[in-house]
Amino acid sequence: MLTTNQIAAIEFSSIRRAQDRLRQLRELGVVFAFRDSYSTGGTSQTRYALGYRGARVVAAQRGEKPPVASAYADRLERLGLWPKLSHQLGVNDFFCGLAAYARTRPDAALTQWWPEKACTEFFWHGDIKLRPDAYGCWDEQGRRVRFFLEHDTGTEPLSKVVSKLGDYSRFGTDVFGVLLFSVHSSLRERNLRSAMRQQLGYEKPGFVIATASRDHGHPDGPAGPIWAVWSFQDQVQERRRLAELPQRGPRIAQHVSPRWAPVQRSGMGSPRHHHDRTGHGRREAMGMNIVPLPQKPPVGDTKPLRDNGSEHNEWHYNRIGNRTKSWDFSGHVRYVSGAEGDRLRGELAAVIRDLLDWAATQHAEQVDDQEAA
């Protein structure tokens, strides 16, 4: 969901040209549009989402099954009453601000922009699932900053806002990036930093936190020198540009969706022990072995484990083929923990990442072959 101004900022040279093109797309059914009416009079900016015909075009480009028309229409109608709509538009405004700035700078680029749902599906470890409002990667002047975004509108008590630090600390956020808090006013920012001081005391959180208020008025928007790295001091000593924040985390492949987001290795065949510019090692067990789970289980019949009289349980898996023969797999379960378990999990994660890399390459080659044909 994007507003007229947001779309114009990232794609057009003027509001007028954006309005003309969006009107044409709306008449064609490619986009869906609506406004909010205010009780005091007037309406909001027009909000746009992908219409049904637009969704069919995207599905065709991806080689996917198109959505059901009636179900998609219901989904679009619910957007207007979505309780989190205003919050989501604020999150989108943050990233549109970065994208708009990058249009004017050849040395800047917004290379990743993941929504909340994609973050929840990707950033997990054990029973910990991060739920940031978004995840992004910002490149400028040869620096690359990866960050989680918490977009605060002031509707939640500060105690609830700072309670989110616990999950980030347990997850090992230092492996994947910087945690940004974007708040609506400078007063809210001061109160937030005070609440974080009470929450953390003199204990270092183990990862970088930066705060900024959206009433800063800087022409560079969120890319500008508006970010204050959190410390125990009462006063903010300096403000940094987004690109000047610490560079953390492994290199997630750029310009890919979260579905195909294997983390690139630092060298050919080398293990993924990543170090930041200061040389401190990162916790591999927290960040390096994260692999997204498949959305649907494989077709087949998995039998429960049974006691076979030994210390290892036996398992069976039968895959029933449609046009090919059926397959029957069996084996034994061996329980491993400690350092050996961590090593095996790391090897398995590396194999899965290689498979994801291979699958993404195959998909790209198929698309290139289809376009060439």
Side-chain angles (χ1 to χ4, degrees):
M1 180 69 66
L2 297 173
T3 66
T4 304
N5 285 351
Q6 290 171 348
I7 295 173
I10 63 178
E11 290 292 340
F12 294 92
S13 58
S14 68
I15 292 288
R16 182 64 179 176
R17 289 181 64 86
Q19 290 173 333
D20 289 341
R21 180 60 59 84
L22 290 169
R23 175 182 52 81
Q24 296 172 10
L25 294 175
R26 182 177 181 179
E27 292 173 352
L28 293 171
V30 176
V31 298
F32 171 80
F34 70 94
R35 290 172 177 259
D36 276 348
S37 296
Y38 299 134
S39 59
T40 57
T43 61
S44 67
Q45 278 192 56
T46 305
R47 285 85 181 271
Y48 292 91
L50 196 63
Y52 179 67
R53 289 188 177 180
R56 289 184 63 90
V57 171
V58 172
Q61 290 175 338
R62 296 176 176 175
E64 299 174 351
K65 184 179 180 180
V68 178
S70 58
Y72 196 82
D74 291 342
R75 177 185 173 189
L76 291 176
E77 290 174 357
R78 288 195 298 269
L79 280 177
L81 299 176
W82 185 27
K84 294 183 62 176
L85 177 59
S86 178
H87 178 269
Q88 186 61 53
L89 287 173
V91 174
N92 294 348
D93 198 60
F94 177 94
F95 284 91
C96 286
L98 291 177
Y101 176 82
R103 292 183 67 193
T104 65
R105 300 292 192 278
D107 59 348
L110 176 64
T111 52
Q112 284 175 332
W113 172 3
W114 292 5
E116 178 183 356
K117 181 180 179 182
C119 293
T120 304
E121 293 174 350
F122 186 79
F123 293 108
W124 57 267
H125 176 79
D127 61 341
I128 307 171
K129 278 195 175 184
L130 295 187
R131 290 176 173 80
D133 294 321
Y135 176 79
C137 183
W138 176 247
D139 290 8
E140 186 177 5
Q141 296 184 350
R143 291 182 59 84
R144 175 168 296 166
V145 175
R146 302 165 183 85
F147 59 87
F148 295 102
L149 175 66
E150 289 288 346
H151 179 85
D152 178 65
T153 60
T155 57
E156 291 183 337
L158 288 173
S159 58
K160 184 174 182 180
V161 175
V162 299
S163 67
K164 301 175 183 179
L165 296 176
D167 285 342
Y168 286 102
S169 180
R170 292 170 58 213
F171 183 83
T173 306
D174 206 25
V175 174
F176 270 97
V178 178
L179 176 58
L180 302 181
F181 281 96
S182 174
V183 301
H184 64 88
S185 68
S186 55
L187 176 60
R188 178 75 168 181
E189 183 185 12
R190 288 195 298 270
N191 292 336
L192 172 63
R193 295 175 72 90
S194 177
M196 287 194 296
R197 191 175 302 108
Q198 296 177 12
Q199 172 80 8
L200 297 173
Y202 290 98
E203 178 183 357
K204 293 184 178 180
F207 57 94
V208 177
I209 304 172
T211 64
S213 61
R214 295 189 291 277
D215 60 356
H216 54 78
H218 197 279
D220 292 350
I226 64 172
W227 298 99
V229 176
W230 185 83
S231 67
F232 301 105
Q233 299 176 356
D234 291 337
Q235 299 297 327
V236 174
Q237 299 297 318
E238 65 173 338
R239 298 277 180 176
R240 303 183 188 182
R241 298 185 65 83
L242 179 58
E244 293 173 346
L245 295 177
Q247 300 180 92
R248 304 293 175 99
R251 296 174 179 173
I252 299 177
Q254 305 298 309
H255 300 294
V256 295
S257 68
R259 180 182 177 187
W260 300 111
V263 182
Q264 298 174 351
R265 297 184 179 184
S266 57
M268 182 65 68
S270 62
R272 300 186 340 136
H273 297 284
H274 189 82
H275 297 268
D276 67 352
R277 296 171 65 89
T278 62
H280 294 98
R282 302 299 168 219
R283 285 178 286 179
E284 177 177 326
M286 294 299 285
M288 299 307 181
N289 298 335
I290 298 175
V291 179
L293 290 174
Q295 298 299 312
K296 295 181 180 180
V299 178
D301 178 31
T302 304
K303 298 180 180 179
L305 300 176
R306 66 175 185 268
D307 188 358
N308 59 7
S310 68
E311 61 178 346
H312 303 313
N313 288 326
E314 185 180 3
W315 60 267
H316 288 272
Y317 173 73
N318 299 323
R319 180 177 177 86
I320 303 174
N322 294 327
R323 298 183 179 180
T324 60
K325 63 180 181 179
S326 299
W327 298 87
D328 182 75
F329 302 90
S330 63
H332 297 277
V333 177
R334 180 167 64 97
Y335 297 96
V336 181
S337 60
E340 178 67 8
D342 291 338
R343 183 186 66 81
L344 291 175
R345 280 193 295 271
E347 292 179 358
L348 177 60
V351 171
I352 294 175
R353 285 193 299 271
D354 289 341
L355 289 173
L356 291 173
D357 279 332
W358 174 83
T361 302
Q362 294 296 311
H363 176 72
E365 291 177 353
Q366 292 176 1
V367 172
D368 292 340
D369 293 342
Q370 292 174 358
E371 292 178 351

